[in-house]
Amino acid sequence: MALGDVLWQPDPQAAESTQMGRFAALASERTGRDLHAWDALWAWSVDDLEGFWGLLAEFLEIDFHQPAERVLEGRDRMPGATWFPGAELNFAAHLLRRDDDGEALVAWREDGRRRAITYRELRRLVARAARGLRDVGVGRGDVVAGFLPNCPEAVIGMLAATSLGATWSSCSPDFGRQGVLDRFGQVEPKVLFGADGYLYGGKSFDSRERLGEVAASLPTTERIVLVPFLDDAPELGELPRAVGWADFLGADDDPELTFTPVSFSDPLYVMYSSGTTGLPKCLVQGVGGILLNQLKEHRLHCDLRPEDRIFYFTTCGWMMWNWLVSSLATGATVVLFDGNPFHPDPLALWRMAEEERVTVFGTSAKFLLASDKADARPGTDCDLSTIRLLLSTGSPLPPEGFEWVHEAVSSSVQLASISGGTDLNGCFALGNPLLPVHSGEIQCRGLGMKVEAHDGEGRSVVGELGELACTEPFPSMPLYFWNDPDGERYRKAYFEREPGTWLHGDFVEITERGTLVIQGRSDATLNPGGVRIGTAEVYRVVEQVEEIEDSIVIGQDVGDDVRVVLFVKLAPDATLDEQLKKRIVSDLRREATPRHVPAVIAEVTDIPYTISGKKVELAVREVVHGRPVKNADALKNPEALELYADRPELENTP
């Protein structure tokens, strides 16, 4: 199966009844223009920003306590544009609009334990948790944090905090002590929710000692709330300023659930950059912008409805958790999972999807490719007939991943590779129920997101690689960075090279038909002989070699040039001999170009990843060049970096 082959086509009649189709019809009616064709609809959405985002807010039934004075002020300022000035609303109120006995949350642990909470029960639990936060004095302007597994209490804590107008921030319990403090130490939460532990790979891990160490280093945190996960009633032990979850909720009664109106641009979340090259940047994101953009993605691009059951494999330390949870605003059922997705075998998540009758299944490209490597055939071994949409993100999904889903999961499922980031808590490019799926390609740019590929001179190019650029403001841009009063770090992160244009740090090709191919991070781009090569181009070929389980590729500075160095983790019983090296070289030369051929191929026993599952080429590059990695605690397996230091095969120049 080749790049660009058509794998899925929408039913034209069904497409008209999708929410994207209905929105196109409404936009055509309001503007007096024919916007039913996708290209016309997208072009209007990025040309008439006020018209598009204003009509979208109406279509999504955004409940403004106070209407906006206008939709957009200062369009020519990026950063600096103001969305819906004067408007007031509440985030949690939109996620809790449904109030009945339909399931809101279904939570699974890797050991098979299942919990279900209805929308009515969820509202009641949020009201009790909000009362507990009010008792500590939490209100607008305060930060509430969660150091938690992907469990219902994390969702409840977030909704309770945001119902009061407070700001939520979270990370998962597999973060090390310093990784947590590098994040929460900057934002100084008033209340910290932490679990007694978590499960992974069939083992239990007690988090209370680490939680106590974190609490001891957060003197401004007034209350620690211990959430039960491993045990139903865990002991508080020596935890300072701590209370158990049940005591925090208080009386098992039915307190009134109220929602504090806040401005459209009040802070909702503090998210964090990966922090592998320094202290994580704290990205402050706004209430209205996140709500509006994520609902756009859920309802229009995913066609999510109340009857859907949506699952995404994520932790509370990845922005996909925030993205998943906001789908409550559609009235759908959100399925949570915490643990090892391959425990006890590669079909674990698929069996859960079968039992829950999941309709939208989301995961990482890494999970799909690992399933292929494990020769899993979930479509044969499980009944996955309810899944209509499969989402993939975290890294580029190559054509081989598309092919595996098509053959091993379902030939009728819409496979939507999506790409965006923590920075915007959403997507620049994603799926579309109106368009075909082409192998190895993302279906389209998001509505309202004026995404282009820019060459080295800042010119928009089509059909060739360039920097992923967004040339118009969008509502989910960060409001600001924490502790960045003059905005210098914010501007430097995205706007330094092309003032007024957001450069995202991805290497992308936009095809003639408007699809996108992401080629990896541009800041990890290889530049042998001055020719830019995306790392994903190398992985796409190398990781199809049967003997290779995983790999990471970097550029090593040698004199005035850069040479490509490929590290491979071998499959069991495989040997990196000259024959295998020649095959790797031959495959890269044939499937890519001679420029992609590494000058050095070396074996390692582990590949370093961030806790959210992304390869860290930059950290490996720092180690190879003898420079310190400033925040290795942000990695899932920081000990792996030692494997790349002082490699004898890298000492000799060509």
Side-chain angles (χ1 to χ4, degrees), residues 46 100 135 149 225 280 339 344 360 390 409 487 537 581 615 627 641:
V46 297
D100 58 24
D135 289 345
V225 181
V360 179
L390 195 151
V409 180
E537 298 176 82
K581 289 182 180 180
K615 295 181 185 183
R627 298 188 288 263
L641 291 177

Side-chain angles (χ1 to χ4, degrees), residues 373-374 545-550 568-576 580 603-605:
K373 284 279 187 181
V545 177
E546 185 177 354
E547 293 88 344
I548 296 177
E549 184 176 305
D550 203 354
V568 295
K569 178 183 178 182
L570 298 178
D573 302 323
T575 302
L576 185 62
L580 180 55
E603 181 181 353
V604 290
T605 56

Side-chain angles (χ1 to χ4, degrees), residues 23 51-64 71 84 97 264 292 299:
F23 181 75
F52 166 69
W53 290 103
L55 185 61
L56 180 68
E58 177 186 334
F59 181 83
L60 298 175
E61 298 178 290
I62 301 300
D63 183 14
F64 290 110
V71 173
F84 293 86
R97 283 195 281 204
F264 192 91
L292 191 58
R299 287 189 50 187

Side-chain angles (χ1 to χ4, degrees), residues 93 203 272 412-413 464 481 578:
K203 298 180 180 179
Y272 306 96
S412 62
V413 72
E464 60 183 87
F481 286 3
E578 289 304 313

Side-chain angles (χ1 to χ4, degrees), residues 5 154 314:
D5 286 352
T314 181

Side-chain angles (χ1 to χ4, degrees), residues 2 156 203 218 257 262 330 390 428 482 514 533:
I156 294 164
K203 298 180 180 179
L218 295 174
L257 178 59
V262 298
T330 69
L390 195 151
F428 280 126
W482 201 271
I533 296 173

Side-chain angles (χ1 to χ4, degrees), residues 48-377:
D48 184 3
L49 292 182
E50 289 200 63
F52 166 69
W53 290 103
L55 185 61
L56 180 68
E58 177 186 334
F59 181 83
L60 298 175
E61 298 178 290
I62 301 300
D63 183 14
F64 290 110
H65 295 257
Q66 177 71 32
E69 299 161 6
R70 57 180 301 182
V71 173
L72 175 61
E73 188 175 87
R75 175 175 177 170
D76 59 341
R77 299 194 299 268
M78 189 160 74
T82 302
W83 291 93
F84 293 86
E88 291 186 349
L89 71 168
N90 184 275
F91 182 80
H94 288 80
L95 274 63
L96 294 171
R97 283 195 281 204
R98 185 171 174 181
D99 183 12
D100 58 24
D101 291 328
E103 289 181 332
L105 301 175
V106 176
W108 281 67
R109 301 193 324 187
E110 71 166 38
D111 61 0
R113 182 175 177 180
R114 179 187 188 273
R115 296 167 59 196
I117 297 174
T118 69
Y119 269 94
R120 185 165 290 129
E121 291 169 337
L122 180 60
R123 288 175 59 91
R124 188 164 170 267
L125 287 165
V126 170
R128 294 172 64 194
R131 178 177 61 191
L133 291 175
R134 275 195 303 268
D135 289 345
V136 188
V138 170
R140 193 172 175 178
D142 291 319
V143 175
V144 177
F147 179 39
L148 294 165
N150 188 10
C151 59
E153 288 77 11
V155 181
I156 294 164
M158 181 277 287
L159 291 171
T162 57
S163 75
L164 300 173
T167 304
W168 175 262
S169 191
S170 63
C171 61
S172 55
D174 50 357
F175 275 71
R177 170 187 168 276
Q178 193 56 51
V180 179
L181 290 176
D182 285 346
R183 290 156 174 79
F184 294 164
Q186 295 187 69
V187 301
E188 299 179 316
K190 193 165 190 174
V191 174
L192 173 63
F193 293 94
D196 60 330
Y198 62 99
L199 298 171
Y200 198 84
K203 298 180 180 179
S204 299
F205 297 87
D206 194 316
S207 299
R208 284 173 293 184
E209 181 178 354
R210 196 164 358 128
L211 180 60
E213 294 171 348
V214 168
S217 299
L218 295 174
T220 59
T221 300
E222 298 179 20
R223 181 65 50 82
I224 309 296
V225 181
L226 184 63
V227 171
F229 189 82
L230 294 180
D231 299 317
D232 291 337
E235 296 290 333
L236 295 178
E238 301 297 321
L239 281 176
R241 310 180 300 283
V243 63
W245 174 254
D247 290 335
F248 173 75
L249 292 181
D252 187 8
D253 54 7
D254 196 10
E256 182 184 3
L257 178 59
T258 59
F259 300 102
T260 301
V262 298
S263 76
F264 192 91
S265 296
D266 258 28
L268 171 72
Y269 292 136
V270 179
M271 308 294 290
Y272 306 96
S273 66
S274 62
T276 53
T277 56
L279 204 62
K281 294 186 284 289
C282 302
L283 317 172
V284 183
Q285 299 172 341
V287 171
I290 295 299
L291 177 68
L292 191 58
N293 192 60
Q294 289 187 344
L295 263 181
K296 174 201 75 178
E297 295 175 358
H298 290 317
R299 287 189 50 187
L300 300 190
H301 287 274
C302 296
D303 199 32
L304 200 63
R305 302 167 185 261
E307 59 268 26
D308 277 310
R309 299 174 73 82
I310 180 171
F311 163 75
Y312 218 106
F313 174 63
T314 181
T315 71
C316 294
W318 190 20
M319 53 88 34
M320 292 311 301
W321 180 86
N322 308 75
W323 189 91
L324 170 66
V325 171
S326 70
S327 60
L328 289 169
T330 69
T333 298
V334 173
V335 180
L336 309 173
F337 173 86
D338 195 82
N340 184 336
F342 271 71
H343 181 79
D345 57 59
L347 292 177
L349 291 186
W350 304 105
R351 285 193 296 268
M352 182 197 71
E354 175 185 18
E355 184 167 336
E356 291 299 336
R357 312 306 288 164
V358 166
T359 59
V360 179
F361 184 101
T363 187
S364 64
K366 179 185 175 185
F367 173 83
L368 297 176
L369 296 173
S371 297
D372 185 11
K373 284 279 187 181
D375 199 28
R377 290 294 180 266

